Amino acid sequence: MSDKVKRIKEQLRGEFETQVESFKGSGKSLIFTVAGSFVIMLAAALAVFFISVQGAEKTMMPDVVGKNVYTGLFELQQKHLYAKINFRYSDDNSDIGMILEQEPRAKSIIKAYRNVTITVSRGKALSVMENYTGKMYQEVKTRFEVLYAGEAPLVDVAPPVYVASNLPRGTVITQSPEEGTDIYSAVKLTLVVSSGNETETVAVPEMNVSSVQELLDLMKKTRLTFRFTQVAREDGTFSVTAPHGELAPYSDVYSEISFVPRKEGDEIVCGLFRCELPDYPFPVPVRLESIDKEGNARVIIDFMHPGKTLTIPYEVKVDSTLSLYVFDERKTGIQVN
């Protein structure tokens, strides 16, 4: 029995020694693997550390004070810097759009691709309308863009009304409201601008409209004056006809319009609003509004009109009140039954 035990012990000892030798061989590989991974991680950590210590690319802050904001922004962009713009009123309109302050100061060595701050002049706060006659339209438009940048504008510059004249193209000929008008609330500034000696024409649009609203949208976009005459069509459909051709801006286009006949009990009524206005020296802002019997108000159309005969198609609820405004002043109105 003892011999058998001895043989078992010898057999187990041999197997144990074999396992130990095997572990030693694989253990060396494991140690080298762990050591190599540690070296790679250490090298990556050192690389990240030195990059963070070194920081981003350096650049010199340019001197932009006293320069136009567009010039200043271009110079900052060349230095890989991003501008945060603050606006401030000043005591002089001569510095409108000029950079008054900058942070950091000029010639500072700073990191590239960072934000810097510049303060830009809005010019004087506007309480009365100034005189823009003789100035260039784009100059006036830019003046108000800078003046009200970042806030709701008190003065909204309307698209220019061009007329032929001997003045250079883009020159403001006249304005409304006039110089000296007090500005208490939001107002639209209309400028009549020279188109030079060139004779401008406007093409009469195709009247491919299927509703009153589509026609109103077309009237707003077209610099022509439509004089509508209401006619009845046998098929009882809505339609508009107008002659083809090209005319001078805001010329009269004599057109015929037919509405779908009203049926008994209909709560919607269609028709033509008609009135006579003064013959203005230039197109003026006109607006037609409606208020239904529940007190809900809406703008039917707002557009430019040269005066004299005005016709506007409408589609409103029964018992609505229509009011016509010129320069935001109510001129006339009717009750729709």
Side-chain angles (χ1 to χ4, degrees), residues 87 104-105 114 151:
F87 289 92
R105 66 181 184 276
R114 60 160 284 185
E151 61 182 50

Side-chain angles (χ1 to χ4, degrees), residues 156-175:
D156 178 23
V157 182
V161 177
Y162 286 104
V163 297
S165 79
N166 293 324
L167 294 173
R169 181 178 176 82
T171 305
V172 177
I173 300 174
T174 186
Q175 68 183 68

Side-chain angles (χ1 to χ4, degrees), residues 22-310:
S22 175
F23 176 77
K24 287 181 179 179
S26 61
K28 288 180 181 180
S29 300
L30 178 63
I31 290 172
F32 282 123
T33 301
V34 172
S37 300
F38 177 76
V39 170
I40 293 173
M41 292 174 62
L42 179 62
L46 289 174
V48 172
F49 172 76
F50 284 117
I51 290 174
S52 63
V53 170
Q54 182 181 6
E57 175 188 344
K58 301 290 185 179
T59 189
M60 180 182 289
M61 178 71 178
D63 185 3
V64 294
V65 172
K67 296 181 179 179
N68 179 276
V69 60
Y70 300 111
T71 302
L73 289 174
F74 176 77
E75 293 187 9
L76 291 172
Q77 185 181 29
Q78 294 295 100
K79 295 291 185 178
H80 305 294
L81 297 171
Y82 308 107
K84 175 186 176 184
I85 305 176
N86 296 326
F87 289 92
R88 189 176 77 194
Y89 290 108
S90 65
D91 297 327
D92 191 352
N93 280 337
S94 64
D95 62 7
I96 295 172
M98 183 184 296
I99 299 175
L100 303 176
E101 297 175 0
Q102 66 178 67
E103 179 62 37
R105 66 181 184 276
K107 299 184 179 179
S108 299
I109 304 301
I110 58 177
K111 292 180 181 180
Y113 305 101
R114 60 160 284 185
N115 291 326
V116 298
T117 303
I118 58 175
T119 302
V120 178
S121 171
R122 295 183 187 271
K124 293 176 63 176
L126 197 62
S127 58
V128 296
M129 191 64 69
E130 299 171 343
N131 181 23
Y132 303 108
T133 303
K135 296 183 178 180
M136 302 304 291
Y137 172 80
Q138 191 57 48
E139 175 188 350
V140 177
K141 190 171 184 295
T142 302
R143 153 80 165 120
F144 287 103
E145 288 175 349
V146 173
L147 182 65
Y148 297 117
E151 61 182 50
L154 273 179
V155 178
D156 178 23
V157 182
V161 177
Y162 286 104
V163 297
S165 79
N166 293 324
L167 294 173
R169 181 178 176 82
T171 305
V172 177
I173 300 174
T174 186
Q175 68 183 68
S176 179
E178 299 178 348
E179 177 187 7
T181 302
D182 291 327
I183 301 175
Y184 298 112
S185 57
V187 63
K188 179 169 287 190
L189 175 62
T190 302
L191 301 173
V192 178
V193 178
S194 171
S195 62
N197 291 319
E198 301 175 4
T199 301
E200 184 183 10
T201 60
V202 178
V204 178
E206 294 289 338
M207 308 303 285
N208 298 322
V209 293
S210 57
S211 68
V212 172
Q213 188 56 55
E214 287 184 8
L215 177 57
L216 293 170
D217 293 338
L218 183 65
M219 291 171 61
K220 287 186 63 171
K221 295 186 293 185
T222 305
R223 290 182 299 147
L224 292 169
T225 303
F226 291 93
R227 288 201 183 188
F228 293 106
T229 300
Q230 186 171 345
V231 298
R233 288 176 58 94
E234 292 182 0
D235 57 7
T237 59
F238 173 81
S239 68
V240 183
T241 59
H244 297 287
E246 294 190 356
L247 303 170
Y250 298 102
S251 296
D252 290 329
V253 179
Y254 291 88
S255 310
E256 291 185 347
I257 184 171
S258 64
F259 298 101
V260 176
R262 182 182 175 186
K263 298 178 182 178
E264 185 177 355
D266 283 351
E267 289 297 315
I268 301 297
V269 58
C270 298
L272 278 179
F273 180 92
R274 180 185 298 271
C275 75
E276 293 294 326
L277 296 173
D279 185 5
Y280 299 109
F282 56 87
V284 297
V286 171
R287 182 176 78 253
L288 183 64
E289 291 186 358
S290 73
I291 301 179
D292 62 24
K293 58 185 177 182
E294 287 81 24
N296 300 311
R298 71 179 181 93
V299 176
I300 295 176
I301 187 174
D302 60 319
F303 65 130
M304 306 298 290
H305 196 279
K308 297 193 295 185
T309 302
L310 176 143

